Amino acid sequence: MMIARRADTRARADFATWKMMAKLNGASSLPPEAQTFLDRYKALLKEMTEAEATEAAIHLIYKSYYEEMGGAGAPPDIQAHPVGQVTGNVTAFKRPPPQRSKSAGGSEAKPRLPVALIFACLVVVYTGFRYFLR
């Protein structure tokens, strides 16, 4: 099953790349195997919708990759990925929760001493040192 998943993932990625290259007029730079699959895809487009033709072409590539990767027998059926649906290997983007300000007064925030209190303590300490050191 691991070989089947890898073959399916590779077939989907390669087909998407080849299709994009064909749209950008770079199909001539693709390997002959890719050009053959793209020709089959174009033939399938004449017979069915684009989504069905895409799945059929990916299935053909998947079969080829399964055999190439050492899969024995007929390749197992992998769940078809409906167009526009999030697959299992895609992580949805989530915004991180807003960070709390430390001065917001929550339980995590430390109480802040007023500047005047700190200054007064420093004056007392300084005066105490001066008084005791004489």
Side-chain angles (χ1 to χ4, degrees):
M1 197 60 179
M2 188 65 131
I3 293 173
R5 283 192 196 123
R6 271 192 265 148
D8 184 62
T9 302
R10 183 176 165 204
R12 290 182 184 284
D14 284 352
F15 182 72
T17 304
W18 298 340
K19 194 173 170 184
M20 186 57 67
M21 290 287 292
K23 285 183 180 179
L24 297 173
N25 295 327
S28 61
S29 64
L30 292 173
E33 175 187 311
Q35 292 177 2
T36 303
F37 283 120
L38 283 176
D39 290 339
R40 288 184 186 171
Y41 171 68
K42 289 176 186 174
L44 289 170
L45 272 177
K46 294 176 184 174
E47 300 171 12
M48 51 184 83
T49 66
E50 184 177 356
E52 292 171 340
T54 298
E55 280 301 315
I58 289 173
H59 192 69
L60 291 172
I61 299 167
Y62 161 67
K63 284 182 180 178
S64 170
Y65 284 173
Y66 183 77
E67 291 172 8
E68 182 182 308
M69 291 179 171
D77 286 334
I78 300 291
Q79 287 183 349
H81 300 278
V83 178
Q85 182 178 353
V86 176
T87 60
N89 64 348
V90 175
T91 304
F93 175 74
K94 286 185 176 180
R95 288 184 182 245
Q99 293 182 350
R100 293 186 190 179
S101 161
K102 291 189 178 182
S103 63
S107 62
E108 297 175 10
K110 294 181 181 180
R112 301 184 78 185
L113 291 176
V115 176
L117 181 60
I118 295 172
F119 182 73
C121 289
L122 286 174
V123 168
V124 169
V125 170
Y126 177 75
T127 307
F129 276 125
R130 294 285 295 184
Y131 178 73
F132 287 116
L133 289 178
R134 281 190 182 182

